[in-house]
Amino acid sequence: AEAWTALIEWLDELIERYALDETIPTCWYAHGAMVEELHALHLAWLGAYTGRSGQPTDRAYWHELFARCLARIREWNRHGCAAGAHRGDDPVPPTDAQRTMRAAHVYTDLQARARRDGAVDQAELL
């Protein structure tokens, strides 16, 4: 609960200070990847701005992390939530055919690696 409160308060300030209202969707809290990304960015900010053992370059480095974070959020959100319309993150499970193709690919790859390494152990291939 404390982490959520701290993240929300910090993010509200960040969005206002850097005018991120068109970059970070208002429903960011409902997107697991965004929550993890923003939480990590918040922890890095705490280290850069409130840490006692910080270096003079920590704040500049934080801005590099910040730019990367925003790029990832833009990518995740490119077809998603815009203008207040939320789209869920529900994953689409693979079909049976996709699972079969994946298993066949992995099996073939493992066989090729075993032959290349000269250590064919059929038990390991399964």
Side-chain angles (χ1 to χ4, degrees), residues 2-126:
E2 290 175 22
W4 271 111
T5 300
L7 180 60
I8 290 167
E9 289 174 358
W10 175 80
L11 191 56
D12 285 349
E13 291 177 23
L14 189 78
I15 290 169
E16 182 179 333
R17 181 161 189 85
Y18 289 91
L20 300 173
D21 51 306
E22 293 184 12
T23 302
I24 299 175
T26 56
C27 57
W28 62 267
Y29 56 85
H31 299 279
M34 286 188 203
V35 171
E36 295 299 328
E37 184 79 28
L38 293 166
H39 179 62
L41 187 66
H42 181 220
L43 293 176
W45 183 89
L46 288 170
Y49 283 88
T50 65
R52 295 180 185 205
S53 61
Q55 301 297 314
T57 56
D58 287 351
R59 293 174 183 181
Y61 180 64
W62 179 85
H63 280 86
E64 292 295 323
L65 297 173
F66 179 44
R68 290 186 221 162
C69 170
L70 292 180
R72 284 189 292 271
I73 287 175
R74 284 184 192 102
E75 178 63 23
W76 289 328
N77 195 40
R78 73 180 185 277
H79 300 297
C81 306
H86 174 70
R87 287 177 55 135
D89 286 343
D90 298 331
V92 178
T95 64
D96 289 340
Q98 290 167 330
R99 289 177 196 269
T100 299
M101 288 174 33
R102 180 178 60 199
H105 175 83
V106 169
Y107 180 78
T108 301
D109 179 65
L110 291 174
Q111 282 183 321
R113 290 171 188 266
R115 278 192 299 276
R116 185 183 61 232
D117 295 342
V120 177
D121 183 354
Q122 293 300 320
E124 289 182 24
L125 296 177
L126 302 175

